[in-house]
Amino acid sequence: MDGNNGTGHRRVVAALDGVGMRRHTTGQVILDNVGWTVRAGEHWALLGPNGAGKTSVLRLVGATAFPTTGTVDVLGHRLGRVDVRELRARIGHVSTSQRVPGDLTGHTTVLTGHTGTVQPLWKSYDDEVRERAGTLLAELQIKDLADRPYGVCSGGQRARILIARALMADPALLLLDEPFNALDLPSREDLIDTMRHLALNRPGLSTVTVTHHLEELSPAISHALLLREGRVLAAGAVEEVLTQERMTDCFGRPIEVSRHAGRWLARSGGFA
């Protein structure tokens, strides 16, 4: 299953073909013959056990790593034949491990997305750029965080600020590496609402979200990629991939999967 049924007319945003990755120091296989295509407007969930290769795949499509074998094309450019610094500037990346000075306000943190820097470069931010940062805070429903120091924001608030920051470059591709990590229930739900609104308001935007829990998937998720031991177990429309059989194969234990009002639930089988 290639996940392209009915979407062949859409522009390819990222494509992996026969991709393999090995650890330079040990020769350990990290990815093995991975093929995957992301098209404009698709919203992918990237799932699999620890060590399955999720982070490596995200690094490839984020142009921060190169394959050992095979080809990786991102936004119309092949890795190895393009200045990756320019390419990375067109890709939004959100990770809870991103280092942001705690004394920066929400608005200033978003501003730094314009220059891709940790510290603000004030001479680079004209009135139009500053207004854009404010507009993004409003779009993500966190305008009240504009003057709040990043360091005192909650985990969910930080995640939404980082998404606004990533959107400053108006990317065609947004990568989210475990954005729900350590969030409480209200913060998780706020972030899920944010992802749903983004999908509705930005029809051309493609997203890839790495997560460990189906409960963290927004109703906007349209596709899923399951990885196990560096190989693609399944990829395609979310309702065809997130089945009990495939999730059981992926995680190596019985998994019961259900869906209600567009939201997913997974639990280990065998309970009364």
Side-chain angles (χ1 to χ4, degrees), residues 47-66:
L47 298 134
N50 289 335
K54 301 185 298 296
T55 298
S56 295
V57 168
L58 205 67
R59 291 181 64 205
L60 288 171
V61 296
T64 60
F66 293 87

Side-chain angles (χ1 to χ4, degrees), residues 107 111 126-136:
H107 186 267
L111 274 179
D126 58 21
D127 290 344
E128 182 180 348
V129 172
R130 292 169 183 266
E131 184 178 348
R132 175 168 171 74
T135 299
L136 286 169

Side-chain angles (χ1 to χ4, degrees), residues 80-124:
R81 302 179 184 176
V82 62
D83 185 337
V84 292
R85 292 170 299 180
E86 294 182 4
L87 188 56
R88 289 170 192 161
R90 300 166 55 199
I91 302 168
H93 195 108
V94 175
S95 172
T96 53
S97 65
Q98 285 173 285
R99 296 180 180 179
V100 175
D103 60 338
L104 296 187
T105 65
H107 186 267
T108 301
T109 302
V110 176
L111 274 179
T112 63
H114 179 72
T115 46
T117 57
V118 176
Q119 294 288 350
L121 301 179
W122 294 111
K123 292 182 180 179
S124 301

Side-chain angles (χ1 to χ4, degrees), residues 2 20 85 96 146 167 207 218 232 235 264:
D2 64 11
R85 292 170 299 180
T96 53
L167 292 174
T207 66
S218 89
V232 174
W264 295 88

Side-chain angles (χ1 to χ4, degrees), residues 19 86 90 165 230 243 272:
V19 164
E86 294 182 4
R90 300 166 55 199
R165 179 182 185 273
T243 65

Side-chain angles (χ1 to χ4, degrees), residues 113-184:
H114 179 72
T115 46
T117 57
V118 176
Q119 294 288 350
L121 301 179
W122 294 111
K123 292 182 180 179
S124 301
Y125 311 138
D126 58 21
D127 290 344
E128 182 180 348
V129 172
R130 292 169 183 266
E131 184 178 348
R132 175 168 171 74
T135 299
L136 286 169
L137 286 169
E139 180 182 347
L140 271 65
Q141 300 178 321
I142 49 173
K143 197 171 182 179
D144 58 320
L145 303 179
D147 298 321
R148 186 176 303 180
Y150 183 84
V152 302
C153 291
S154 69
Q157 291 169 340
R158 291 183 184 187
R160 286 187 285 168
I161 288 172
L162 290 178
I163 292 174
R165 179 182 185 273
L167 292 174
M168 278 295 288
D170 197 22
L173 177 62
L174 182 63
L175 309 177
L176 301 104
D177 189 4
E178 298 188 36
F180 300 92
N181 189 30
L183 297 188
D184 60 18

